[in-house]
Amino acid sequence: MEVLLLDPLVPEALAWLQERHEVSFRPELADDPAELRKSTYKSRAIVLPPHVVVSGEFLDFAPKLEIVARMQISSDNTDLDACARRNVRVLQARSATVRSNAEYLLYGLLMLYRRGMISALLGRKISQVRMGRELSGSTVGLLGLAPVAHTLAPMLRSLGVRLLGYDPAVHHAADIWDKLKVEPVTLQDLLAHSDAISLQMVYASRFRGWINERMLNHCKPGQLWVGVSRSSLFDAEALALALCDGRIDACLLDGANPQFAAEGTPLHGIPNLHLTPRLGSHTREAKLRASWYVAHRMHETLSPAATQGESRVSDFSVLDNLDYQETSDPQAVSPSQWSSIAMHRN
């Protein structure tokens, strides 16, 4: 077979791809390594869910493989060096989930600022409901200037939020701070003066455990944290102490490693730590953007001759770009328009 799908595309993108290639949808293989190896042996392209790891050993059973595709971007489930040595192309729509993750962070901030709403929905009396705060007039620190921060910043500014920012890879005099209307500060000042922290740093191995006890000692008491970055950025014991002694009032993290707060770890059972399973990218629109991106890129790689008459720049090439910006009018590129572009491309 040409294309093996373990992670589904949206129906329109799947139909478009099936018109051009032999496609087999086998989601059950994601949890059956032996059968997956047998099927991968005959495949030229494979679309995998996040929990399936591509290692050098995995590639040993895939002699015909040309493409490994993911619907979600991640750096810890694919051996990029092994893929490069074997000329296997790794496809990830880098910016397909930028807006959905930004909205998740905004939702997380609003939820933590108004945690009493959950009590009210459970039917508790107003006297039993924790008094909330308004996001307007507060100070939010952006820890990391990953593309998600570029979309989140104007959302927060429109709500009357003062924005501070720090990124170890971005100079304080860089133009991007002015462009986003974010005040660049030192890491210590970011933590000391922010009512809440939004974490969206691009992960690198040198930052493992970077958010440690020394750093968290600078937190403004009662600080709120939301994040979509790798949980490996945290020193688990330091975060547990900060959550228990009042430096961090509550923390909401998306897509943390399954062992991050497992039984026997310092974070297990801490009630003000909230973890969600990659809900930030779990939207219809993000799925649509990622599906069309993956479908087009696979077609371009598997059938280069068929695409010679087409523009070599895909309608979805913008999603390769980490500097990709959403349009000022979110409705300007609706899901139906994305579908229309793809369905009428050839």
Side-chain angles (χ1 to χ4, degrees):
M1 75 191 75
E2 282 194 293
V3 180
L4 177 61
L5 295 182
L6 276 66
D7 202 2
L9 306 178
V10 296
E12 313 95 288
L14 176 60
W16 184 89
L17 192 64
Q18 287 174 326
E19 291 177 0
R20 293 157 176 81
H21 302 278
E22 180 188 354
V23 180
S24 176
F25 179 45
R26 300 284 305 280
E28 71 279 4
L29 297 180
D31 299 308
D32 190 341
E35 287 301 316
L36 176 58
R37 286 179 176 180
K38 293 179 183 178
S39 297
T40 304
Y41 188 85
K42 302 174 288 185
S43 303
R44 295 178 62 196
I46 187 167
V47 182
L48 297 172
H51 71 277
V52 178
V53 176
V54 174
S55 60
E57 181 184 8
F58 179 95
L59 296 174
D60 288 339
F61 292 88
K64 298 181 179 180
L65 197 63
E66 300 175 39
I67 302 169
V68 170
R70 305 275 188 181
M71 302 292 287
Q72 300 177 356
I73 186 169
S74 180
S75 59
D76 62 344
N77 55 14
T78 305
D79 187 332
L80 300 178
D81 291 333
C83 289
R85 287 194 298 269
R86 299 169 190 243
N87 295 316
V88 174
R89 187 180 185 186
V90 178
L91 294 178
Q92 297 183 96
R94 294 185 177 187
S95 296
T97 59
V98 165
R99 174 162 290 275
S100 58
N101 275 315
E103 290 189 4
Y104 173 92
L105 291 170
L106 177 60
Y107 158 79
L109 288 168
L110 290 167
M111 184 185 74
L112 293 184
Y113 269 63
R114 294 288 186 94
R115 269 173 294 161
M117 187 173 289
I118 296 175
S119 299
L121 291 173
L122 292 174
R124 295 173 185 169
K125 298 178 181 179
I126 188 68
S127 60
Q128 300 173 312
V129 172
R130 175 174 176 161
M131 185 171 289
R133 292 189 55 194
E134 295 176 5
L135 196 54
S136 177
S138 69
T139 299
V140 173
L142 300 180
L143 184 49
L145 276 191
V148 174
H150 299 198
T151 300
L152 178 64
M155 292 179 179
L156 291 172
R157 286 201 320 272
S158 70
L159 294 174
V161 174
R162 178 194 177 200
L163 294 175
L164 305 180
Y166 174 81
D167 190 309
V170 181
H171 194 273
H172 65 85
D175 293 339
I176 188 62
W177 299 112
D178 285 337
K179 182 179 179 181
L180 295 178
K181 295 181 174 58
V182 175
E183 180 185 346
V185 294
T186 65
L187 179 57
Q188 180 174 337
D189 285 342
L190 183 86
L191 295 172
H193 299 294
S194 298
D195 299 298
I197 298 292
S198 176
L199 176 64
Q200 55 283 313
M201 265 188 59
V202 176
Y203 179 80
S205 58
R206 66 182 181 277
F207 291 119
R208 177 177 291 274
W210 181 64
I211 303 175
N212 55 24
E213 179 68 12
R214 181 179 178 183
M215 180 190 295
L216 294 178
N217 276 335
H218 297 293
C219 287
K220 182 178 181 179
Q223 199 167 70
L224 302 171
W225 280 62
V226 296
V228 292
S229 294
R230 291 268 295 276
S231 55
S232 302
L233 286 168
F234 288 94
D235 177 308
E237 187 172 352
L239 178 59
L241 287 172
L243 285 164
C244 292
D245 65 18
R247 281 173 288 167
I248 298 179
D249 188 38
C251 179
L252 172 66
L253 301 176
D254 191 40
N257 185 291
Q259 298 304 310
F260 185 59
E263 188 173 354
T265 66
L267 291 166
H268 180 68
I270 293 182
N272 50 342
L273 173 64
H274 310 284
L275 305 178
T276 54
R278 295 189 184 276
L279 289 183
S281 57
H282 194 57
T283 68
R284 294 178 182 178
E285 291 80 4
K287 180 80 170 182
L288 189 68
R289 289 190 290 265
S291 293
W292 280 119
Y293 173 86
V294 166
H296 275 278
R297 282 292 187 258
M298 286 196 297
H299 176 56
E300 290 170 359
T301 301
L302 296 175
S303 302
T307 59
Q308 283 182 356
E310 304 173 9
S311 168
R312 291 304 297 158
V313 179
S314 166
D315 294 310
F316 301 90
S317 62
V318 66
L319 296 178
D320 279 325
N321 188 353
L322 285 176
D323 294 323
Y324 166 68
Q325 294 289 308
E326 293 278 0
T327 63
S328 56
D329 176 12
Q331 300 304 317
V333 182
S334 70
S336 61
Q337 286 173 302
W338 282 93
S339 173
S340 177
I341 289 172
M343 294 296 285
H344 295 91
R345 187 178 156 116
N346 286 341

